[in-house]
Amino acid sequence: MGVTFLLASARFVGNIARLSLGPLLPLLSLELGFPTESKPALLSAYSSGYILTQIAGGFFADRYGAPFVLAFTSGASAFVLLALASAPGEWGVTWWIRLYAALGLLAGPLFPASSVAVKEGVEPERRAGAAAVVDAAASAGTCVATLAPAVAAATFGWRGVFIMTAVAALFVTIGSIRLGNAPRQKQFKTKSSRRLSVTSTENGASAESPYKILFSIPSLSLYLCNSCDNFCKYILNAWLATMFVERYKVSAAEAGGWLAIVEAVGVVSRVLAGMRDPLGEKFRWVASSVTFLLQGAFLFLAFNAPNPKSCALFLTLYAFCTGGHSVGFRPRYFETAPHLAGLLSGYGNTIASMASAMGPVAIGMLLGPEKGEDTELDNEDERWNRVAWLMLAVGGGLGLIGALGLGGGKKSNKTPTESKREALSGSRRMSYYELSVSVLADEDFLKEIGDLDSDKED
């Protein structure tokens, strides 16, 4: 429970740090005099840095442990946030762009380190639920970041918002350090360690080349699932408000209210999905296949809806369905190859981040010129119908292909004792602690150690 709470807090605070710039930008521009032409560069600076360090973060989390990476990224991010809070006006927008790019660089390892921490600190049967809660906390951070910064800035000023976020990040740092200093026995349950050791050798993951695993069909399918999900999600974040205002002629405040409801339903669905994991590891592909089919259908209906209420209804159903991924493709990051959970997460989220950036741009190109510039495009329904077909193709079609490629865990014909002997004699990727716990728990294996030594001498 402590590991899950720490990771949920880290992702919650991280999303607030990432997304609070948008609501605060009008205040910053007014007080610090940011030119209009510099705003796109400032808003994209975080993502530019974020996409560069996820693979490296996953590597270090696998090699040195998740607590070390979490403590470093949270602590360093806190200092950058404090630098933003104390930045004098004469620094100009250039320094803000550099600092936000640095903030993104430091936050990149957070997602892969979270996957490693779930693998290391949560029992196997509870990992999918823990990952779902962490994912829900990240979505909750998104909700808070869209509403709270502007309200808090009215009372404490924009500098106060950055300071409070930095303090929260420092608390996460302290928790991560305590987790790293905790006795290893508290980070791994005996039963969990034994099952982890057997599973990793039974699947043959430890004996395979890391690159073969990272670019295998199940791994590539996992990357595709994450990319399709992010592609659709970030299109909604970027364009839904515009659609409500331009197509349905509602106010920006009303559009924001509808979107907040949709986001809240998504948070609830992830938590509910994490409470139960009925299909288990073998049938992750089933959960995500059904989810992608429903997701594509509801998005298609939402972008073809005749009025804002029916559109919001279909979007709410879409958001509720997305919880299925919490027991679908997402747990595969630490199940496909537990000893490479960080690298898998780093590669997967890097590719998915590229898809996140491509989605909003693709919609802008698909919508074509603004209304009035071309009489053939004056029909708003026709313009957004194009988006509906794209969401169906990506969210339903490509996502389904990725989910079908996930497969299930491979069974091994070897006995647990044979698997452990193979791990002891050949593989050194498993930590000595995990192996020792597994060995001491099996009396039959202890009797065979003498035979193994004899085999090596021969």
Side-chain angles (χ1 to χ4, degrees):
M1 183 64 184
V3 174
T4 304
F5 178 77
L6 175 65
L7 297 177
S9 301
R11 296 288 301 280
F12 178 82
V13 174
N15 267 23
I16 292 177
R18 176 181 187 176
L19 299 171
S20 59
L21 176 62
L24 294 176
L25 192 54
L27 291 174
L28 294 171
S29 300
L30 183 63
E31 182 172 334
L32 302 178
F34 292 162
T36 303
E37 59 271 17
S38 67
K39 292 179 182 178
L42 180 56
L43 290 170
S44 62
Y46 185 101
S47 298
S48 300
Y50 182 77
I51 205 171
L52 297 176
T53 54
Q54 297 185 67
I55 295 175
F59 172 80
F60 284 112
D62 284 331
R63 189 174 183 88
Y64 300 108
F68 165 76
V69 177
L70 289 170
F72 174 79
T73 186
S74 299
S77 296
F79 283 104
V80 174
L81 288 166
L82 290 174
L84 288 168
S86 58
E90 55 269 20
W91 276 17
V93 71
T94 302
W95 272 102
W96 277 77
I97 293 173
R98 292 171 181 171
L99 287 172
Y100 254 94
L103 190 63
L105 283 168
L106 293 169
L110 184 57
F111 178 80
S114 298
S115 295
V116 176
V118 170
K119 182 262 297 185
E120 290 180 344
V122 181
E123 294 180 358
E125 61 271 14
R126 297 181 180 177
R127 287 175 187 165
V133 171
V134 174
D135 192 36
S139 297
T142 301
C143 291
V144 172
T146 58
L147 300 173
V151 176
T155 304
F156 305 105
W158 61 265
R159 298 181 189 275
V161 175
F162 285 116
I163 291 173
M164 288 187 288
T165 309
V167 170
L170 287 174
F171 275 111
V172 172
T173 304
I174 294 171
S176 301
I177 294 173
R178 292 185 63 184
L179 178 64
N181 292 335
R184 296 286 292 181
Q185 290 83 350
K186 291 186 178 180
Q187 294 185 41
F188 292 89
K189 304 294 183 182
T190 302
K191 178 182 176 182
S192 173
S193 300
R194 182 165 63 250
R195 293 176 64 176
L196 176 60
S197 301
V198 174
T199 300
S200 61
T201 51
E202 283 182 345
N203 288 342
S206 295
E208 292 186 51
S209 165
Y211 293 102
K212 186 176 180 181
I213 297 172
L214 292 170
F215 297 103
S216 64
I217 295 299
S219 296
L220 293 175
S221 299
L222 177 58
Y223 306 156
L224 180 58
C225 286
N226 200 356
S227 297
C228 291
D229 186 49
N230 273 26
F231 184 88
C232 295
K233 180 168 62 177
Y234 281 87
I235 284 175
L236 298 181
N237 289 343
W239 282 100
L240 270 186
T242 300
M243 185 183 74
F244 269 80
V245 172
E246 290 185 357
R247 186 179 184 184
Y248 301 124
K249 310 302 179 186
V250 302
S251 66
E254 184 178 349
W258 288 115
L259 300 182
I261 293 174
V262 171
E263 194 70 33
V265 170
V267 173
V268 173
S269 71
R270 288 169 174 80
V271 174
L272 292 177
M275 293 173 64
R276 297 184 61 84
D277 187 13
L279 297 178
E281 179 179 345
K282 296 181 186 178
F283 298 101
R284 300 290 184 212
W285 67 274
V286 175
S288 273
S289 295
V290 174
T291 300
F292 274 122
L293 282 173
L294 294 175
Q295 176 176 310
F298 286 133
L299 286 175
F300 180 80
L301 294 171
F303 280 96
N304 278 312
N307 56 67
K309 290 185 179 180
S310 58
C311 180
L313 172 63
F314 290 126
L315 288 173
T316 302
L317 292 173
Y318 150 79
F320 187 77
C321 288
T322 55
H325 292 315
S326 296
V327 291
F329 75 82
R330 296 191 185 281
R332 295 298 293 163
Y333 274 121
F334 44 79
E335 292 173 347
T336 300
H339 66 291
L340 294 176
L343 268 177
L344 273 170
S345 301
Y347 274 96
N349 211 42
T350 296
I351 297 171
S353 296
M354 295 179 185
S356 303
M358 292 169 55
V361 176
I363 297 304
M365 297 172 61
L366 197 63
L367 290 174
E370 293 293 330
K371 181 176 178 180
E373 294 183 18
D374 192 330
T375 56
E376 294 182 359
L377 296 174
D378 279 350
N379 189 329
E380 288 292 320
D381 291 340
E382 179 184 342
R383 298 173 73 221
W384 291 102
N385 178 258
R386 300 175 185 178
V387 179
W389 282 107
L390 178 64
M391 301 297 269
L392 180 62
V394 176
L398 284 178
L400 178 61
I401 293 172
L404 292 174
L406 291 175
K410 294 182 180 179
K411 289 286 186 179
S412 173
N413 294 325
K414 298 177 183 178
T415 65
T417 298
E418 290 172 336
S419 296
K420 291 172 193 168
R421 289 184 62 184
E422 180 181 299
L424 182 60
S425 60
S427 173
R428 285 293 176 255
R429 292 190 183 93
M430 186 187 306
S431 73
Y432 286 102
Y433 172 77
E434 294 170 343
L435 187 59
S436 64
V437 172
S438 181
V439 168
L440 293 174
D442 193 331
E443 296 180 358
D444 294 333
F445 183 57
L446 291 174
K447 296 177 182 179
E448 290 193 14
I449 291 180
D451 296 336
L452 179 60
D453 292 336
S454 300
D455 292 342
K456 287 185 176 180
E457 291 175 2
D458 295 339

